Amino acid sequence: MPEQQKRLFDDEPAPWELDDQAEQWVATVVFPTGPPGEFDYAVPEPLRATLKAGCRVKTPLGRGNRSVTGYCVRLASRVASRQLKPIHQVVDPQSLLSPAMLRLTEWIAQQYLCPWAQVLEAVVPAGVRYGAGTRQTTVLSIAPKAQGRLDELDLPPKQASVLRVLATAGKSLTPGQLAKAAGCTQAPITALRRKGLLLGQTDRVSNERTDTEPPPDRESHLTLNPDQKKALDAILAAVNSGKSRTLLMHGVTGSGKTEVYIQAIQEVIHFGRQAIVLVPEISLTPQTLARFRSRFDRVAVLHSHLTDAERHGHWQRIARGEVQVVVGARSAIFAPTPHLGLIVLDEEHESTFKQESAPRYHAREVAIARAEAENIPLVLGSATPSLESWRHAQTGRFTLLSMPRRVLERPLPDVGTIDLRERSHSRHSRGSISRPLHAAIRQSLTDGGQVILLLNRRGFSTHIQCPACGHVVVCPDCEIALTHHRTEEKALCHYCDYEIPAPTECPECQFAGIRYSGLGTQRLEAEVRARFPDVTCLRMDTDTMRARGSHQRALDAFREGRVQILLGTQMIAKGLDFPNVTLVGVINADTALHLPDFRASERTFHLVTQVAGRTGRGVKGGHVLVQTYSPEHPAIQAAVRHDYTAFAAGELPLREVLCYPPFGSMIRLVLRGSSEQITSESAAELARLVTESLDSTPPGTRVLGPAPAPFAKLRGKYRFQIQVQGPDRDVLRHAVRIATEAFRPPEDVQWIADVDPLDMM
Ligand code: ADP
Ligand code: ZN
């Protein structure tokens, strides 16, 4: 071969050389900061033993070969198609993720259109990545050449004694620990290291012991009622089958679901396996945790207030198999349990299981994937299952477990409605508490009961509604409430951009006082204080509950009876168990009903049902009053009758007609920028690219928008959205991936893609 040519291909072997080239170890690396995509590197001989998939590595990147940290996601011996740069250094002595967890992160990346490295950064807590709560130190061990022949060495007595102490210790010690154990200074240790009889190695040791809380008093098994027993048997059958299965436990509030979870977990840990229990962050109350801690020896609780060091400590204990039950919010689904036996996801309909920043995963979907990968059952529990899960139960993909009764024959509370339309004709109706609700509050307080008032303000309620007939102005194409834009006096559909001038009279009954609604918890608190001046009242919403621990303090005050009326947003609707609450009042059930969101009815049904479940838990019983402009609305009617099945039966056909989830999939693209015009143009461009890449796709696939997002302007940025909808999620994902790869927005415009979005604002 001519010399000349050989030099031309200096760093790349000539193509004809490749055939004879031997296989080599190739590491595939992804970078959290740096270019997207996967990059191959050569693994130099000395690193071969330490490097495993799931370790971080330092590698040269780009023309300048700057050293960048990435994750090694794959390791294989193969012939490379070109000469590869070598890895510089292996950062982690052990893999951060098991092969199964690594595959799960790849699945999440594909599923949610997010770079793999970004998923890895979300899955491995920062405290683990940076070794929080540990420090690097040198540990000493006896050199192999000296092992077993300490007596043959001719050493000064002090040095010989150091070696003997280390040999009896049976493990590596730091120089400090060794000097202390041998009762000497560092001098003999240094001498032994110089002679090569002691070997030093860097290692990470923990600063503190993350000890578990002392177990509270043991609580014994409750005897299950027949419904609970049936549910438990079905779960145990799934556990023993050794196959993956998702079971949907539909049990009314107070039907004893948690007790079933606990007994199922007891069976699983009996076989030396672990369980993960996912609950909404807000349900991680001392009350809930005490129930688990009283039944299991080793519980790890993963909540958002942990320090990095605490999180790291838990992670290590879980990975070593020392924890039986991991209880935590969304991200606990990534707990590195070595032999997982069961996953429970309680309140599965809760939207907090979806992460609202990248990776925008839904913990329920990840749990399904993880349970499948580990061949174990997953139990989803709810009084008001998501329509997605309900649909799967109907088609047989999930197994349905029903617990339609409360434990101990406790009745479900009576729910009544108060029609707000009747009040609007009276000139004297002021404020937001109607006369019948006022009277009921008074009665409850007189009887020594407590009251919960719910106002689901969710910041945003600008639908246009007639106070006389209750009619809500909706988009003729999307059946979504139009949003009132006060500045231009327009009414807009935030799905498809349909637009009309804001009506001055009701299109239905011609009442001239049509208006947009809006009322906050703060105003409600003032009204309650004015109406009941002698009563202690407490407001709970994100504004008053900022400080750490304030949530718990408020609940304690209510539980102990120091507060008679608790009012607040949906924060108070969930999971609380107060036997003395005899009245729940819903100030305006319609606030969630007319949000520009296809799940508005479902949310309203959930909310009213959940808050109703807060009463009637004690011997005094309880009832619920729901104020509404739409008492005949199917969601409210079904909630009044505690009839989930009827609600789902009415709602699903509506979803099916428009191909909304669970019948179709959706990807929401949101663009934001400081110039309205440029952002809008970029959105149009992206919509065009998506439409193009959807060429010849199944019928029912459509691109909606761009339209202004319901929050059309946030923190000074204009926001536009595009919705890609259709029956086949893979088709949508593929189209969006192609489109976004080709999309080159101006510097100032940012975009996100949300697969199966829950947040439509
Ligand atoms: P859910 O999770 O469905 O709301 P829980 O499991 O919290 O219901 O049960 C509600 C209450 O009933 C709890 O106080 C629990 O201790 C009690 N309970 C559950 N199962 C039984 C049972 N089989 N016998 C007696 N009490 C029970
Ligand atoms: Zn529309």
Side-chain angles (χ1 to χ4, degrees):
M1 167 190 334
E3 262 316 298
Q4 187 64 23
Q5 241 184 19
K6 188 143 195 194
R7 243 180 289 123
L8 267 179
F9 290 95
D10 221 15
D11 27 275
E12 256 176 273
W16 54 85
E17 285 179 314
L18 285 173
D19 281 347
D20 333 313
Q21 225 197 0
E23 292 200 341
Q24 59 170 331
W25 280 96
V26 179
T28 307
V29 179
V30 296
F31 298 98
T33 51
E38 301 176 4
F39 297 82
D40 283 348
Y41 286 90
V43 185
E45 180 65 42
L47 299 184
R48 223 156 273 178
T50 40
L51 180 60
K52 290 178 196 68
C55 287
R56 281 168 305 165
V57 290
K58 287 206 163 117
T59 62
L61 187 69
R63 288 243 178 76
N65 281 334
R66 68 200 161 93
S67 194
V68 178
T69 304
Y71 289 82
C72 169
V73 291
R74 226 175 281 124
L75 205 53
S77 170
R78 59 180 160 95
V79 177
S81 56
R82 61 195 166 79
Q83 180 130 21
L84 300 174
K85 294 177 188 173
I87 282 178
H88 284 161
Q89 190 195 332
V90 179
V91 177
D92 303 298
Q94 276 140 19
S95 178
L96 297 170
L97 297 140
S98 68
M101 288 304 287
L102 199 55
R103 275 196 302 279
L104 189 67
T105 58
E106 184 179 21
W107 178 86
I108 294 171
Q110 289 164 353
Q111 199 72 12
Y112 294 99
L113 300 172
C114 179
W116 194 349
Q118 207 171 359
V119 178
L120 289 163
E121 294 273 285
V123 166
V124 182
V128 175
R129 279 181 271 133
Y130 302 112
T134 63
R135 70 205 135 79
Q136 198 138 18
T137 183
T138 304
V139 291
L140 300 170
S141 53
I142 300 172
K145 64 176 177 184
Q147 271 166 16
R149 37 184 292 260
L150 296 187
D151 297 339
E152 303 163 29
L153 301 169
D154 185 18
L155 291 172
K158 278 219 176 112
Q159 293 180 24
S161 132
V162 165
L163 285 184
R164 267 196 306 278
V165 166
L166 188 54
T168 24
K171 58 173 185 182
S172 309
L173 295 177
T174 65
Q177 288 166 332
L178 184 53
K180 196 164 166 222
C184 66
T185 63
Q186 285 296 321
I189 296 174
T190 313
L192 284 167
R193 289 184 76 175
R194 217 175 286 131
K195 289 178 189 167
L197 296 172
L198 274 185
L199 295 184
Q201 224 183 347
T202 50
D203 201 357
R204 287 209 155 267
V205 296
S206 179
N207 286 341
E208 52 185 336
R209 291 233 47 81
T210 36
D211 281 323
T212 39
E213 306 216 349
D217 296 340
R218 283 281 124 174
E219 221 175 69
S220 54
H221 254 46
L222 294 169
T223 310
L224 299 184
N225 65 34
D227 287 338
Q228 288 176 310
K229 182 85 178 54
K230 237 169 97 188
L232 178 66
D233 287 346
I235 298 170
L236 294 185
V239 167
N240 294 326
S241 76
K243 293 203 202 89
S244 172
R245 184 80 204 148
T246 302
L247 304 107
L248 176 61
M249 194 194 289
H250 175 216
V252 298
T253 52
S255 58
K257 295 185 289 296
T258 310
E259 184 61 30
V260 176
Y261 305 149
I262 288 177
Q263 296 198 16
I265 293 168
Q266 271 163 344
E267 183 75 8
V268 165
I269 64 171
H270 193 72
F271 295 113
R273 295 192 153 222
Q274 300 93 37
I276 296 178
V277 180
L278 300 175
V279 298
E281 174 89 28
I282 203 149
S283 307
L284 283 169
T285 58
Q287 212 182 355
T288 312
L289 300 181
R291 273 179 92 176
F292 283 93
R293 290 208 171 106
S294 75
R295 305 288 279 277
F296 301 100
D297 289 327
R298 300 189 302 275
V299 179
V301 180
L302 303 178
H303 54 78
S304 61
H305 294 306
L306 292 176
T307 64
D308 279 356
E310 285 167 337
R311 199 174 289 279
H312 184 201
H314 280 311
W315 176 278
Q316 298 292 0
R317 282 200 307 131
I318 294 168
R320 287 195 299 267
E322 291 170 15
V323 170
Q324 296 166 320
V325 187
V326 179
V327 185
R330 184 173 62 225
S331 65
I333 190 58
F334 302 122
T337 49
H339 297 292
L340 191 58
L342 179 68
I343 307 174
V344 174
L345 197 151
D346 194 27
E347 310 282 357
E348 69 88 33
H349 61 279
E350 274 290 323
S351 51
T352 55
F353 285 118
K354 167 100 173 162
Q355 173 142 307
E356 293 300 354
S357 59
R360 295 182 163 73
Y361 68 90
H362 197 301
R364 191 208 303 132
E365 301 301 313
V366 177
I368 293 171
R370 185 162 181 193
E372 273 170 12
E374 309 213 17
N375 281 318
I376 56 166
L378 162 68
V379 178
L380 305 175
S382 176
T384 53
S386 64
L387 287 175
E388 283 82 353
S389 295
W390 188 248
R391 171 92 187 131
H392 286 320
Q394 286 188 329
T395 60
R397 195 181 153 204
F398 294 176
T399 305
L400 183 65
L401 311 173
S402 287
M403 306 215 297
R405 283 167 286 266
R406 283 188 162 180
V407 294
L408 306 176
E409 322 272 306
R410 284 180 200 138
L412 283 162
D414 260 343
V415 184
T417 54
I418 297 170
D419 191 338
L420 290 175
R421 288 171 300 194
E422 290 159 17
R423 296 173 62 236
S424 64
H425 299 295
S426 134
R427 292 173 136 257
H428 303 291
S429 62
R430 283 259 172 267
S432 47
I433 295 175
S434 65
R435 207 167 298 148
L437 181 57
H438 180 104
I441 296 173
R442 178 62 56 233
Q443 188 63 49
S444 267
L445 297 173
T446 311
D447 296 344
Q450 287 170 296
V451 177
I452 287 180
L453 295 178
L454 173 84
L455 177 60
N456 184 33
R457 190 192 42 167
R458 271 198 75 186
F460 196 75
S461 58
T462 52
H463 63 280
I464 301 168
Q465 184 168 40
C466 172
C469 77
H471 176 74
V472 172
V473 184
V474 300
C475 169
D477 299 326
C478 308
E479 309 225 352
I480 295 295
L482 297 184
T483 299
H484 182 222
H485 284 237
R486 232 184 317 182
T487 37
E488 308 106 22
E489 282 304 325
K490 283 193 301 196
L492 274 185
C493 171
H494 283 301
Y495 275 21
C496 73
D497 219 13
Y498 172 85
E499 174 185 327
I500 53 167
T504 50
E505 61 176 39
C506 173
E508 201 69 17
C509 77
Q510 282 73 48
F511 179 71
I514 193 161
R515 61 178 186 215
Y516 72 94
S517 22
L519 162 74
T521 38
Q522 214 167 346
R523 217 165 86 193
L524 176 64
E525 183 186 10
E527 184 180 342
V528 170
R529 287 189 192 284
R531 283 174 184 265
F532 305 97
D534 49 338
V535 170
T536 332
C537 140
L538 186 79
R539 169 161 70 102
M540 255 176 109
D541 54 28
T542 37
D543 299 324
T544 57
M545 294 294 131
R546 285 232 177 85
R548 190 176 167 173
S550 56
H551 188 244
Q552 200 47 49
R553 279 195 295 280
L555 294 182
D556 288 345
F558 192 56
R559 186 184 320 281
E560 289 157 17
R562 284 180 278 130
V563 166
Q564 274 78 52
I565 301 179
L566 182 66
L567 69 91
T569 53
Q570 53 195 348
M571 200 181 260
I572 62 172
K574 312 294 163 91
L576 309 178
D577 190 354
F578 300 116
N580 200 36
V581 173
T582 53
L583 174 68
V584 167
V586 179
I587 299 301
N588 184 351
D590 306 9
T591 49
L593 204 50
H594 306 299
L595 290 173
D597 180 343
F598 72 91
R599 286 193 182 86
S601 289
E602 187 178 3
R603 293 240 161 87
T604 300
F605 176 79
H606 285 168
L607 192 69
V608 175
T609 311
Q610 293 286 339
V611 76
R614 297 314 115 220
T615 180
R617 294 186 157 239
V619 284
K620 282 187 189 160
H623 67 132
V624 183
L625 285 173
V626 178
Q627 301 193 133
T628 170
Y629 286 101
S630 341
E632 69 291 332
H633 191 285
I636 293 181
Q637 281 291 312
V640 164
R641 294 194 309 268
H642 304 285
D643 195 345
Y644 176 82
T645 316
F647 165 72
E651 180 71 10
L652 281 171
L654 303 179
R655 298 272 183 96
E656 190 164 17
V657 170
L658 294 168
C659 206
Y660 285 138
F663 295 94
S665 264
M666 189 185 275
I667 299 179
R668 180 173 185 242
L669 297 161
V670 182
L671 297 92
R672 57 156 208 224
S674 38
S675 152
E676 185 171 12
Q677 197 194 335
I678 293 173
T679 314
S680 154
E681 284 166 8
S682 293
E685 166 69 4
L686 182 55
R688 190 184 62 74
L689 287 167
V690 176
T691 310
E692 255 176 37
S693 40
L694 272 174
D695 215 19
S696 74
T697 45
T701 310
R702 54 185 178 157
V703 179
L704 295 180
F711 286 122
K713 200 172 177 191
L714 259 185
R715 286 171 225 105
K717 303 272 190 187
Y718 292 90
R719 301 168 82 242
F720 289 84
Q721 66 175 6
I722 300 162
Q723 279 178 27
V724 195
Q725 274 175 294
D728 188 335
R729 186 195 287 160
D730 290 334
V731 168
L732 307 184
R733 246 200 313 262
H734 182 71
V736 169
R737 191 177 296 122
I738 304 273
T740 51
E741 272 166 19
F743 183 47
R744 299 268 173 280
E747 183 105 37
D748 174 57
V749 176
Q750 285 124 28
W751 61 270
I752 59 125
D754 193 353
V755 179
D756 301 334
L758 290 186
D759 177 5
M760 309 300 289
M761 296 293 143

